[in-house]
């Protein structure tokens, strides 16, 4: 099992940041931050939008600006702010807080004191409680190690369970305060796996979570691991959880099946391909796109469609992409392969801006690209570097 399981799939979930966060020191250029946030949201650049939140969290942690973190968490929670692709900014916040304040991913560095000090400074803060519990749970995994259960020493297992119990006790003792933040249940979903909740108890926890915040994707995402065959479920139950999510979700109901299986797909466990109801998935992807019509969503749905070997569906999603969509592909070469499968790599003058990304040869570019198109490409670092490599290859 992957160490720490920092598994908020920021798989991508639509609102402008409700406030701007005054992060110490006072010399921080708030106007520049405002302009960056506005530009990112208008342009629909998913990664820049997320990075804006990540950077704000990092600056607040670096300067120990607990008040800024409290304002940020409260705003994201009460406004239910999303990126233009539909990702909860609250989830981006919590994921980054764990990255900033938990142990290092390799467990070679212990957690800083920050989560302890923040909770001491802001004892009434729901987010401070949740972050501290998440850090404790992550520390437990560092003590345990990532091996199978039968490889873990009795001492390591004891330390692991002590840390997880400390996290659960904190959440339980502060439940009334902290559970107003839906990420409370995402952390509880992890603890329920660590402590091997029986299925009735785990479902009761999920029912409570989704009754309070039905559209908060990440409770469903965290629960996916519980229902994996190697933990406490089966392939059939993995698919059933997707249906449960789509039935429980509020405004996101039509798109929740797609968001859930998008997360499952990005786990790289090769489970989605085995169990997904593909006709239902396609319908749900269209529902996401209708509500959040962004290149990020369309590009990822093309990626998923190619994994399902559905060339026709992939082609439809490529047709929705206005830019190049390459940011959605961990391996740009896979995008070229997918476009070829979908028949969207046709050599034509109007596709010249995509030439380098689609792997055109130098001969193709000479034949189809006008001089002004080549000039525009040379101003783009990714495009120009690929064209130069084509030229050098002769």
């Amino acid at each position: 099992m992957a160490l720490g399981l920092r598994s908020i799939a920021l798989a991508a979930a639509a609102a402008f940041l409700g406030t701007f966060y005054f992060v110490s020191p006072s010399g921080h250029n708030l106007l520049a931050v405002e302009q960056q946030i506005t530009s990112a949201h208008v342009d629909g650049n998913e990664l820049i939008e997320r990075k804006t939140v990540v950077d704000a969290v990092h600056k607040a942690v670096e300067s120990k600006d607990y008040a800024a973190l409290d304002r940020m968490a409260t705003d994201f929670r009460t406004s239910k702010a999303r990126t233009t692709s539909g990702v909860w900014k609250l989830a981006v916040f919590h994921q980054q807080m764990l990255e900033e304040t938990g142990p290092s991913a390799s467990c070679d560095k212990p957690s800083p004191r920050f989560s302890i000090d923040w909770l001491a400074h802001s004892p009434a803060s729901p987010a401070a409680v949740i972050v501290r519990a998440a850090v404790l749970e992550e520390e437990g995994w560092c003590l345990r190690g990532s091996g199978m259960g039968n490889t873990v020493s009795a001492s390591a297992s004891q330390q692991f369970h002590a840390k997880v119990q400390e996290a659960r006790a904190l959440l339980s003792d502060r439940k009334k305060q902290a559970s107003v933040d839906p990420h409370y249940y995402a952390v509880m979903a992890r603890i329920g796996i660590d402590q091997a909740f029986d299925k009735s108890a785990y479902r009761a926890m999920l029912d409570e979570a989704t009754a309070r915040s039905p559209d908060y994707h990440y409770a469903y995402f965290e629960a996916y691991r519980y229902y994996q065959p190697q933990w406490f479920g089966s392939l059939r139950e993995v698919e059933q959880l997707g249906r449960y999510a789509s039935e429980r979700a509020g405004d996101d109901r039509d798109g929740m099946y797609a968001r859930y299986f998008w997360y499952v797909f990005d786990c790289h466990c090769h489970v989605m391909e085995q169990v997904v109801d593909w006709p239902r998935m396609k319908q749900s992807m269209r529902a996401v796109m209708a509500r959040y019509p962004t290149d990020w969503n369309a590009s990822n749905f093309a990626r998923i469609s190619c994994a399902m070997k559905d060339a026709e569906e992939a082609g439809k999603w490529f047709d929705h992409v206005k830019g190049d969509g390459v940011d959605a592909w961990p391996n740009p070469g896979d995008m070229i392969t997918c476009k070829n499968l979908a028949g969207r790599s046709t050599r034509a003058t109007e596709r010249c801006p995509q030439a380098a990304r689609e792997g055109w040869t130098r001969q193709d570019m000479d034949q189809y690209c006008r001089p002004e198109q080549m000039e525009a490409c040379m101003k783009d670092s990714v495009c120009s570097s690929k064209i130069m490599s084509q030229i050098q290859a002769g």
Side-chain angles (χ1 to χ4, degrees):
M1 196 38 123
L3 181 61
L5 302 157
R6 296 178 178 179
S7 54
I8 293 182
L10 296 174
F16 174 67
L17 278 176
T19 56
F20 303 111
Y21 305 104
F22 290 77
V23 181
S24 299
S26 58
H28 183 61
N29 189 336
L30 294 173
L31 178 60
V33 173
E34 178 174 347
Q35 290 171 340
Q36 180 186 15
I37 295 170
T38 304
S39 173
H41 196 82
V42 170
D43 293 343
N45 190 316
E46 180 72 14
L47 297 184
I48 291 178
E49 284 192 86
R50 295 187 197 184
K51 187 175 184 299
T52 302
V53 178
V54 166
D55 287 350
V57 169
H58 176 73
K59 290 178 186 296
V61 171
E62 192 174 48
S63 57
K64 298 184 178 181
D65 195 337
Y66 307 119
L69 293 171
D70 290 334
R71 286 194 297 271
M72 229 184 297
T74 299
D75 177 54
F76 292 154
R77 169 171 57 84
T78 57
S79 68
K80 301 181 179 181
R82 312 277 191 101
T83 68
T84 48
S85 293
V87 170
W88 282 72
K89 292 180 178 178
L90 181 65
V92 181
F93 171 88
H94 276 291
Q95 176 67 2
Q96 188 59 27
M97 283 302 306
L98 184 56
E99 292 292 330
E100 296 278 348
T101 67
S104 62
S106 60
C107 294
D108 59 343
K109 295 179 182 178
S111 304
R113 281 190 50 86
F114 190 93
S115 64
I116 300 172
D117 294 342
W118 182 21
L119 186 55
H121 181 275
S122 304
S125 167
V129 172
I130 295 166
V131 168
R132 179 60 190 151
V135 169
L136 285 166
E137 195 261 353
E138 191 77 7
E139 288 174 345
W141 277 95
C142 281
L143 292 166
R144 177 194 183 279
S146 59
M148 300 296 290
N150 59 6
T151 69
V152 179
S153 70
S155 174
S157 180
Q158 184 178 21
Q159 292 177 79
F160 165 70
H161 287 295
K163 281 288 185 180
V164 171
Q165 181 55 35
E166 186 179 353
R168 183 180 181 182
L170 175 60
L171 291 178
S172 298
D173 292 346
R174 305 283 192 99
K175 181 176 181 178
K176 184 176 181 180
Q177 166 192 341
S179 62
V180 298
D181 183 324
H183 204 75
Y184 173 96
Y185 292 100
V187 179
M188 278 299 299
R190 295 203 295 270
I191 290 172
I193 299 167
D194 300 339
Q195 295 193 330
F197 285 14
D198 65 37
K199 287 186 178 177
S200 61
Y202 202 83
R203 178 53 62 91
M205 182 271 296
L206 271 184
D207 286 346
E208 181 180 317
T210 57
R212 297 190 64 169
S213 299
D215 288 340
Y216 193 69
H217 311 146
Y218 305 92
Y220 306 110
F221 294 171
E222 294 292 357
Y224 158 63
R225 185 163 56 95
Y226 181 91
Y227 291 102
Q228 285 181 299
Q230 61 267 45
W231 287 95
F232 308 107
S234 64
L235 290 177
R236 180 170 174 267
E237 288 171 297
V238 167
E239 201 277 333
Q240 286 177 335
L241 180 60
R243 293 178 182 270
Y244 170 89
S246 64
E247 290 163 2
R248 299 285 290 187
D251 292 342
D252 274 356
R253 177 170 301 181
D254 292 341
M256 188 63 84
Y257 192 82
R259 288 201 181 276
Y260 168 77
F261 270 106
W262 180 353
Y263 175 84
V264 172
F265 175 68
D266 279 341
C267 173
H268 304 295
C269 306
H270 303 291
V271 170
M272 186 202 78
E273 297 90 329
Q274 299 180 64
V275 302
V276 70
D277 179 338
W278 185 235
R280 181 172 186 158
M281 180 70 175
K282 291 194 288 186
Q283 183 178 4
S284 188
M285 290 191 299
R286 294 185 184 102
V288 172
M289 191 66 176
R291 190 172 183 190
Y292 301 103
T294 66
D295 278 3
W296 177 262
N297 288 339
S299 297
N300 275 286
F301 293 154
R303 186 168 62 91
I304 292 169
S305 298
C306 275
M308 293 299 296
K309 304 295 191 291
D310 191 334
E312 181 180 1
E313 184 71 11
K316 292 175 182 177
W317 288 114
F318 278 123
D319 292 343
H320 281 289
V321 179
K322 298 179 179 66
D324 57 47
V326 72
D327 287 344
W329 295 81
N331 180 359
D334 290 341
M335 183 182 73
I336 295 170
T337 301
C338 186
K339 279 192 171 183
N340 289 333
L341 177 69
R344 292 307 188 272
S345 294
T346 304
R347 306 303 190 246
T349 298
E350 58 269 21
R351 295 203 63 78
C352 186
Q354 309 301 324
R357 301 182 195 276
E358 292 181 0
W360 292 20
T361 66
R362 171 66 191 278
Q363 183 178 358
D364 289 332
M365 290 186 281
D366 288 343
Q367 181 176 351
Y368 293 106
C369 298
R370 296 189 295 267
E372 62 271 21
Q373 291 175 314
M374 293 291 285
E375 182 179 353
C377 176
M378 294 305 291
K379 293 178 181 179
D380 177 85
S381 60
V382 175
C383 186
S384 63
S385 64
K386 291 189 177 183
I387 283 188
M388 288 304 296
S389 66
Q390 289 280 1
I391 292 172
Q392 290 167 3

